[in-house]
Amino acid sequence: MLEVLDLDLKMGKEEYQGAVQRLRVKLRDLQHAVRAAGIPVVVLFEGWNAAGKGDAITALVRPLDPRGFKVFTTQAPTLEEQFHPFLWRFSTRLPGKGEWVFWDRSWYRQMLEERVDGRLDRSGALAAGGEIREFERQLSDDGVVLIKFWLHVSRKEQERRLASMQSDRFERWRWTQPDWKKERGYRKYLEAAEEMLALTSTVNAPWKLVEAHNRRFRRVKIFEHLIGALAGHLSRHGKGLEATGSSMPTAESIDEGVRSRGLHIEVDSISSVLDRSDLSKHLDREDYEKQLSRLQLRLRDLEFECYGRRVASVVVYEGWDAAGKGGNIKRLTQELDPRGYEVVPITAPTLEEKTHHYLWRFWRQLPKAGHMTIFDRSWYGRVLVERVEGFACEEEWRRAYQEINEFERHLTVAGVVCVKFWLHLSPEEQLRRFQSRECTPHKRFKLTSEDWRNRTRWNDYRRAVTEMIERTSTPYAPWTVVEAEDKLWARVKTLSTLVATLEKRLGV
Amino acid sequence: MLEVLDLDLKMGKEEYQGAVQRLRVKLRDLQHAVRAAGIPVVVLFEGWNAAGKGDAITALVRPLDPRGFKVFTTQAPTLEEQFHPFLWRFSTRLPGKGEWVFWDRSWYRQMLEERVDGRLDRSGALAAGGEIREFERQLSDDGVVLIKFWLHVSRKEQERRLASMQSDRFERWRWTQPDWKKERGYRKYLEAAEEMLALTSTVNAPWKLVEAHNRRFRRVKIFEHLIGALAGHLSRHGKGLEATGSSMPTAESIDEGVRSRGLHIEVDSISSVLDRSDLSKHLDREDYEKQLSRLQLRLRDLEFECYGRRVASVVVYEGWDAAGKGGNIKRLTQELDPRGYEVVPITAPTLEEKTHHYLWRFWRQLPKAGHMTIFDRSWYGRVLVERVEGFACEEEWRRAYQEINEFERHLTVAGVVCVKFWLHLSPEEQLRRFQSRECTPHKRFKLTSEDWRNRTRWNDYRRAVTEMIERTSTPYAPWTVVEAEDKLWARVKTLSTLVATLEKRLGV
């Protein structure tokens, strides 16, 4: 079936830019709709080496809230994986309701490779195909939307790309893998691919073949197919894309008493390290855009450098409500290769987490060497919300400063880079943002009575933040107070701080 | 400090048997008390190769409910572990409140070995010791009881043991590990151990040195120290060992209406595969004890054989309330090496589990090659309690028979042995057991209104069980209906079934 693809299909730059702009907005809206509808989404990419699978995933996740998706790469199985049934590493990484998982190669990899190298004969392929169909049917029966892309390039095009990648310093590391030689048998691989596609294209999980020569064409086709599939699924289940607005979480009715107490905040006169930050700092949009895009690309370079040198990093975001953490994280990650980082939003601990040491759940989320984990709130909850709201007793949160310093020292001694941001703004600016959320229908759900309640405790939090920064800003893991009165300034500051820290660590 | 140990200390057989009998009962009671008090327990063993660490753990867990503890072995770090900070693999495996974790080697292994092979110098050792002290202080501050044993043998004794192990077919595999040669430098190792013990013996987590030449002496000393440490901890926190009884969960007050409806059960006349089981089957105690101990030892042999040949197995226990699953599992595992199996009790799914496919949480618990996982209740909940109580909709549980067959086929194709038991008894016998629980103070908490409520739905469950067995008994994963009217018979039957299945699979 692959020979019928017209690999000459192209798209012009202007057409592409218009299309992609529109598609990004649609996909972002779909993420909200899918979350509201509680649908798990799995998107997988197979196809030739260098066909653009990573590029496609990077393009797709750009408009998405990074707290809602994960990206996994299928390499040759580790020993641990070899010691389990074949589907184990995939089954244990299924998305929950409303979550997205992207796979760069997937459960098809092994079948394909074993077929090419002869470990799997025809009947073995039939059996493997059967198992995979069963697995996918089980997912789709359970409401998972599964979308499968095959990215196709010709032999000539593949050779051209591999050659050019080998001379690219950020791509070269990919070809040190021992399995790349296997892929050279294009003909054999093509036959195995055709067989596999035929065996596993089902009603509920058909393969989408993508002519992958032209990057713009390929990206737009992938966007359109994904959007169509999701919108179709939503509308078949009575939740059309148009209904996105109405399927947004509804705004909580605000406790008026709390709200009015929160309107005017008198900040304590006690001095704080926070006072030293100059909240008048700002950037105009032109400056911002220039700096942002330069820093984003630089961070992407550093991401690859960290991967190649196996340097892990941990980025902690803390800050006032409405200080702009979400938008800031989105800008930080926008140009990164999504296979290299993960954003972990921290909310109230689960029952299981509560029966363990409070650091336990953070240990489980640490990045492995070469990767980056961004914590949207973190273990500092112990000395912030848990302290202020009394969720931890005094003895516990008092102990925590030392525990955290020890924990972060342990990480940094192991080579992990620790960067910590406190996003700071004035109570007046916070009030403006709260009020603007109240006036914007699609943002109203973000504002709850709890936000107003937290606001009335501004001075308690200010005291907790001050002590936190004073006691846990260490030479190996310093705090950076980010002036977030102007969001543009804040975004550039977090990016440039992270970039500078990584440059220093890498000596580049 | 090690040179002061009197390695000639011994204990006679009779004295040992009396002591160990008493100590086992105490430890079992302590498990209840510790669970009731919500205390996490970590017990770790370090010491010479062949000093008896595994033997000590095996002896300690014998009286314990296997659903309440886990045993981990520290090997050389895997690639995944190397890609994380040193403490990661330990921090992520901390026990929750009321749980026990045993470590055969621990976070001390790496420090010792690197010190012996020279990767760590004196100041490196100081730093490592400091990190470990911090880690242990954090645990103990959080209420974890941490008990550390160092098992000491002389150079001569170690050499003798290693030589004899190499000729033992069940021990030989342990010496194929590349690191065993490292241990031969007894002198160097001794110095490193002395240094390590001195650096990390703290008030809250002191080392307990054990003269490990004589097995009986060693075991009793370990038992006594562990019991003393736990009882001391409990009494310091106002929960003396004597208070075990009063710290037991209190019996729920039973809904009298439900209870009276549950007293008399009329079994449906519809025929069932269950009718074919002859509930008059029984064993007298003498026969039972002979067979049990023979089968337990045989199963232990097979456990080692499975480990050596990397055959995983899954054992599923389902059955009526009060059919004796817990006691049965305890006998099944009694002689096993606890490093080779795990017992997983299945209760209602957590919030996170509910947002995933219902098989997801079982995927995460699968044994790795060479290990055994025993599920106390399982994925069959979908077609039993979830069906009967309406937690799954009809479409979901109807679909599940096929899903389960596919799941188990996938496991068996991957080489996993699947053994499934339904423990069957009559409603009359169940009533007798319920009533006997009501009359026994320390068992009363096990009986709740829910048990009575389930009992009133006997016929609904009978229908569900019948359909389950009919539809999911496959050639590759057959059900065994175990006549459990007599507990002794049931224990021998599950053991002999598992033994026969493993023998067949291994061809031994």
Side-chain angles (χ1 to χ4, degrees), chain B residues 16 77 84 88 115 118 144-145 186 192 200 203 230 241 251 283 291 349 403 427 461 496:
Chain B
Y16 169 74
H84 284 93
W88 175 73
R115 189 70 173 115
V144 176
V145 175
Y186 186 93
T200 58
V203 176
L230 288 171
L241 180 52
L283 271 181
Q291 292 197 46
E403 290 174 335
Y461 275 102
S496 59

Side-chain angles (χ1 to χ4, degrees), chain B residues 68-81:
Chain B
F69 67 82
K70 286 194 178 133
V71 178
F72 297 113
T73 305
T74 304
Q75 311 277 2
T78 64
L79 200 64
E80 185 80 5
E81 287 162 353

Side-chain angles (χ1 to χ4, degrees), chain B residues 182-333:
Chain B
K182 284 188 219 148
E183 317 264 5
R184 289 200 288 199
Y186 186 93
R187 192 70 242 160
K188 245 182 145 172
Y189 203 86
L190 185 67
E191 280 166 19
E194 291 266 9
E195 179 188 67
M196 182 203 83
L197 293 169
L199 275 174
T200 58
S201 230
T202 56
V203 176
N204 285 316
W207 279 98
K208 183 67 184 174
L209 308 181
V210 180
E211 303 83 349
H213 278 204
N214 179 268
R215 175 194 267 200
R216 291 191 286 258
F217 175 84
R218 172 180 90 211
R219 283 187 170 185
V220 167
K221 180 159 182 178
I222 290 168
F223 258 108
E224 282 177 342
H225 179 70
L226 177 59
I227 287 170
L230 288 171
H233 185 91
L234 281 166
S235 79
R236 272 193 305 284
H237 293 78
K239 289 163 182 151
L241 180 52
E242 318 70 39
T244 309
S246 66
S247 67
M248 292 290 280
T250 47
E252 195 202 323
S253 69
I254 302 286
D255 180 328
E256 273 307 319
V258 173
R259 183 179 182 283
S260 70
R261 271 190 291 125
L263 282 176
H264 182 68
I265 298 296
E266 185 90 49
V267 178
D268 268 357
S269 60
I270 300 156
S271 85
S272 160
V273 58
L274 295 173
D275 302 335
R276 268 181 275 149
S277 59
D278 174 4
L279 292 183
S280 70
K281 282 179 174 166
H282 70 281
L283 271 181
D284 60 42
R285 187 156 286 273
E286 202 180 325
D287 252 23
Y288 162 74
E289 270 163 13
K290 236 185 298 170
Q291 292 197 46
L292 187 78
S293 105
R294 184 184 57 80
L295 287 164
Q296 284 178 334
L297 292 174
R298 180 64 184 148
L299 188 60
R300 185 181 164 89
D301 284 358
L302 294 167
E303 182 194 21
F304 280 101
E305 189 75 23
C306 282
Y307 185 82
R309 290 165 61 180
R310 287 286 176 201
V311 173
S313 46
V314 160
V315 181
V316 168
Y317 274 83
E318 295 283 354
W320 298 104
D321 285 339
K325 289 193 292 294
N328 199 303
I329 292 172
K330 200 162 163 186
R331 270 47 171 220
L332 192 91
T333 57

Side-chain angles (χ1 to χ4, degrees), chain A residues 34 37-44 90-91 93-103 107 135-148 203-206 229-230 233-234 236-237, chain B residues 355-358 360 396 399 403:
Chain A
V34 157
I39 297 168
V41 178
V42 175
V43 184
L44 69 84
F90 307 107
S91 297
R93 287 177 176 137
L94 292 174
K97 288 181 180 157
E99 296 170 359
W100 300 39
V101 164
F102 292 88
W103 281 101
W107 41 92
F135 175 60
E136 294 183 351
R137 199 210 66 243
Q138 291 201 9
L139 299 190
S140 109
D141 281 351
D142 197 47
V144 176
V145 175
L146 171 61
I147 296 155
K148 309 188 293 194
V203 177
N204 284 316
L230 288 172
H233 184 91
L234 283 166
R236 271 194 305 283
H237 293 77
Chain B
T355 77
H356 287 83
H357 193 282
Y358 80 97
W360 180 70
E396 286 172 329
R399 202 164 64 213
E403 290 174 335

